[in-house]
Amino acid sequence: MNIFNRYFWQETSFSILMIMLGLLAMFSFFDLIQELDSLGRGNYGINNMLVFVLLSVPGHIYEVVPVAVLLGMMYSLGTLGGNSELIVMRVSGLSLQQIGYTLIKIGLLFTVITFLVGELIAPISEKMAQRMRIKATDSVVAQDFKSGLWIKDGKSFVNVETVLPDATLLNVHIYEFDEKFRLRSISNAKQGSYRDDKWGLKEVTQTQFNYQKKLEENSVQTAFFDKANWKSLIRPELLNVLLVLPEKMSAWNLYSFIQHLSRNNQKTTRYEVALWAKMTYPLACVVMVILALPFGFLQQRAGGTSTKIFIGILLGVLYQIMNRVFVHLGVLNDWSPMVSAITPTLLFLAAGLAMIVWIEHR
């Protein structure tokens, strides 16, 4: 059995890695072509472009591993089936369950790789790539509206006109309300930077509104400060959402941002779906192994290895499309985030198990 295990590990792992390298090369080439439009903007040169493409590779690894597992498994099993090696193994007493168990262990290895890359490497590299690109092209991080970024922070509404790549805030406007939703103060700062669990604001103009029982006794006071401290629930890591798409953020950052939105009674559906997808997506590697297993036992007249690879490509593309479609449908229709994230994986798992049962009883 150990000989069979080593043989399966050698054949399938090599195929998966080769296909993964091919897919990464293709995606990196597309990134390079896309970045040509930004070449020459500001200080964005060839070196910056190559660094950006290189830093984008971990994000692509996270995306392509399940597809590479599917294609690599289908190619390896198709080759073994074409050479009648799988039949010889079955005749030698190796059951379909034993073969499947060995291949699932290989899938679990790539599940761990996908999870580690998606949690520890891709979010950091993606953020570095975007910051480098934005700084080199003299751009700003993001603007949700023409007036800049708007954030709800407790009883305050914060407007930031510009967010720099290092999380420095320019032209900050803080509108603070009381329990009766009356405007209590307006604070305008030229710049803000985060240090020691608080924001340090510079050149602050603060206008306070004092409400009295009699309308004629209401007053307005204005003060100017060279420097001021601002305690806020907003953290620089929460601004990472402006640099990295929710699907490429780490699970911990997604969870923290969801908590921030919940405290401020804001909608969290998109980020909850992304969080559930982050937790379930690595398991797709195991599902792809189960889906690929039956193709090794199909008769060669049903199609050669090239045909099975073509089917694998279609299945991989279909899986990615279904993932994106269910995410968008879940956000638009307020479906359960868990259902939206896990449904495509469950459908492919059911298809793979049904094909295995059919192969076993035909």
Side-chain angles (χ1 to χ4, degrees), residues 118-232:
E119 283 299 300
L120 303 179
I121 303 176
I124 297 174
S125 66
E126 188 75 18
K127 184 168 60 175
M128 291 174 59
Q130 294 299 331
R131 282 182 174 174
M132 183 274 297
R133 186 180 186 278
I134 290 166
K135 186 176 181 179
T137 56
D138 298 327
S139 303
V140 297
V141 172
Q143 290 189 336
D144 286 0
F145 303 98
K146 290 184 178 180
S147 56
L149 174 69
W150 286 88
I151 307 171
K152 187 175 184 295
D153 180 28
K155 296 177 182 177
S156 303
F157 287 88
V158 183
N159 172 226
V160 182
E161 293 186 16
T162 304
V163 182
L164 297 182
D166 61 356
T168 298
L169 312 180
L170 301 182
N171 297 323
V172 184
H173 312 288
I174 307 169
Y175 303 89
E176 184 179 355
F177 294 81
D178 60 16
E179 291 78 4
K180 297 181 179 180
F181 301 103
R182 295 180 300 185
L183 185 62
R184 296 295 301 176
S185 67
I186 301 175
S187 300
N188 300 309
K190 290 292 184 181
Q191 183 176 321
S193 56
Y194 193 79
R195 289 190 184 89
D196 301 325
D197 295 329
K198 59 181 178 293
W199 290 94
L201 303 180
K202 297 181 180 180
E203 299 184 40
V204 182
T205 302
Q206 188 177 72
T207 303
Q208 291 187 335
F209 302 90
N210 301 312
Y211 298 98
Q212 306 297 330
K213 292 184 178 180
K214 295 183 179 180
L215 183 62
E216 59 272 10
E217 296 180 356
N218 292 345
S219 63
V220 179
Q221 295 179 333
T222 302
F224 178 81
F225 308 94
D226 287 329
K227 296 181 179 179
N229 292 326
W230 172 39
K231 295 287 288 185
S232 172

Side-chain angles (χ1 to χ4, degrees), residues 55-352:
L55 290 173
S56 299
V57 169
H60 292 315
I61 291 176
Y62 178 77
E63 293 173 348
V64 306
V65 169
V67 178
V69 169
L70 174 64
L71 295 177
M73 283 289 177
M74 292 187 71
Y75 174 80
S76 299
L77 294 176
T79 302
L80 294 177
N83 297 331
S84 300
E85 293 179 69
L86 289 177
I87 297 176
V88 172
M89 293 177 187
R90 293 291 301 276
V91 172
S92 301
L94 201 63
S95 67
L96 184 61
Q97 287 78 11
Q98 289 174 311
I99 295 174
Y101 179 69
T102 299
L103 296 179
I104 285 175
K105 287 193 291 186
I106 299 173
L108 286 174
L109 171 64
F110 285 96
T111 293
V112 173
I113 293 173
T114 304
F115 182 80
L116 293 178
V117 170
E119 283 299 300
L120 303 179
I121 303 176
I124 297 174
S125 66
E126 188 75 18
K127 184 168 60 175
M128 291 174 59
Q130 294 299 331
R131 282 182 174 174
M132 183 274 297
R133 186 180 186 278
I134 290 166
K135 186 176 181 179
T137 56
D138 298 327
S139 303
V140 297
V141 172
Q143 290 189 336
D144 286 0
F145 303 98
K146 290 184 178 180
S147 56
L149 174 69
W150 286 88
I151 307 171
K152 187 175 184 295
D153 180 28
K155 296 177 182 177
S156 303
F157 287 88
V158 183
N159 172 226
V160 182
E161 293 186 16
T162 304
V163 182
L164 297 182
D166 61 356
T168 298
L169 312 180
L170 301 182
N171 297 323
V172 184
H173 312 288
I174 307 169
Y175 303 89
E176 184 179 355
F177 294 81
D178 60 16
E179 291 78 4
K180 297 181 179 180
F181 301 103
R182 295 180 300 185
L183 185 62
R184 296 295 301 176
S185 67
I186 301 175
S187 300
N188 300 309
K190 290 292 184 181
Q191 183 176 321
S193 56
Y194 193 79
R195 289 190 184 89
D196 301 325
D197 295 329
K198 59 181 178 293
W199 290 94
L201 303 180
K202 297 181 180 180
E203 299 184 40
V204 182
T205 302
Q206 188 177 72
T207 303
Q208 291 187 335
F209 302 90
N210 301 312
Y211 298 98
Q212 306 297 330
K213 292 184 178 180
K214 295 183 179 180
L215 183 62
E216 59 272 10
E217 296 180 356
N218 292 345
S219 63
V220 179
Q221 295 179 333
T222 302
F224 178 81
F225 308 94
D226 287 329
K227 296 181 179 179
N229 292 326
W230 172 39
K231 295 287 288 185
S232 172
L233 296 174
I234 301 170
R235 298 288 187 272
E237 55 266 24
L238 294 179
L239 298 176
N240 287 344
V241 70
L242 304 177
L243 291 167
V244 183
L245 292 173
E247 292 75 19
K248 294 186 178 181
M249 293 173 64
S250 68
W252 175 250
N253 283 341
L254 279 170
Y255 177 77
S256 300
F257 194 69
I258 290 170
Q259 294 301 307
H260 172 77
L261 294 178
S262 298
R263 284 194 296 265
N264 289 281
N265 298 317
Q266 293 179 275
K267 196 170 183 179
T268 62
T269 305
R270 181 187 179 192
Y271 302 97
E272 288 184 27
V273 172
L275 178 59
W276 276 102
K278 198 77 178 180
M279 302 305 294
T280 59
Y281 185 75
L283 295 175
C285 294
V286 176
V287 174
M288 294 305 174
V289 170
I290 296 174
L291 187 64
L293 180 57
F295 286 89
F297 295 93
L298 294 177
Q299 296 180 1
Q300 285 302 300
R301 63 173 179 269
T305 303
S306 59
T307 303
K308 294 172 184 177
I309 288 295
F310 178 71
I311 294 173
I313 293 173
L314 292 181
L315 290 174
V317 171
L318 179 61
Y319 178 74
Q320 295 292 347
I321 291 175
M322 287 182 65
N323 262 328
R324 295 180 183 275
V325 168
F326 271 85
V327 166
H328 290 296
L329 288 177
V331 173
L332 291 174
N333 299 303
D334 282 328
W335 291 350
S336 167
M338 181 181 69
V339 172
S340 301
I342 204 171
T343 297
T345 303
L346 289 179
L347 290 175
F348 272 67
L349 176 60

Side-chain angles (χ1 to χ4, degrees), residues 1-15 73 76 80 85 89 94 98-99 101-103 105-106 109:
M1 185 65 185
N2 290 332
I3 297 176
F4 288 127
N5 287 340
R6 288 197 298 269
Y7 187 62
F8 278 125
W9 276 87
Q10 178 182 344
E11 291 294 318
T12 57
S13 298
F14 181 78
S15 299
M73 283 289 177
S76 299
L80 294 177
E85 293 179 69
M89 293 177 187
L94 201 63
Q98 289 174 311
I99 295 174
Y101 179 69
T102 299
L103 296 179
K105 287 193 291 186
I106 299 173
L109 171 64

